[in-house]
Amino acid sequence: MRLTVYTDYALRMLIYLALKDDGLATIEEIAQSYGISKNHLMKVAHQLGLAGYVDTVRGRHGGLRLAKPAKAIGLGEVVRHTEPDMAIVMCFEPVNADCAILPSCVLRKALASARSAFIDVLDEYTLSDLVRPRVPLQTLLAIEPKPARGLSTKRRVTQTGHG
């Protein structure tokens, strides 16, 4: 089974936004980080917005951010949304092409089971799972990690009584 470039870009965009620690990201920034087409990402961002996965903030300091927590975005759900035509072979919907062996075809049943298993495995993952190796992914995508709350970036000096 092969996913479309559209689905690949949608997943990459969601991963990037999940790594931004609630910060905004621009389409240009995401495109540069992955070395992919800005024009394609614009269409993906629009569709992800319509689907409720991404919020758009307009204005000079605007950008994109996740519309809901990464834990609430299921991988299978996203793939179902971005891959509406999961017809592996022509006899599957929506094509429903005629086939001489269709009434006795075991291949169609086997492929339908494989497609179902593929989606079932994706349903076990959320966007949060995909960004678990957070710091390495942020480094690879040149995303500045957000400092941990309550920790100062200044070095603390302790007094030990030694001169």
Side-chain angles (χ1 to χ4, degrees), residues 89 91-92 97-112:
V89 290
C91 60
F92 280 25
D98 287 333
C99 178
I101 65 168
L102 189 59
S104 298
C105 185
V106 177
L107 175 61
R108 180 178 174 169
K109 182 179 178 186
L111 292 175

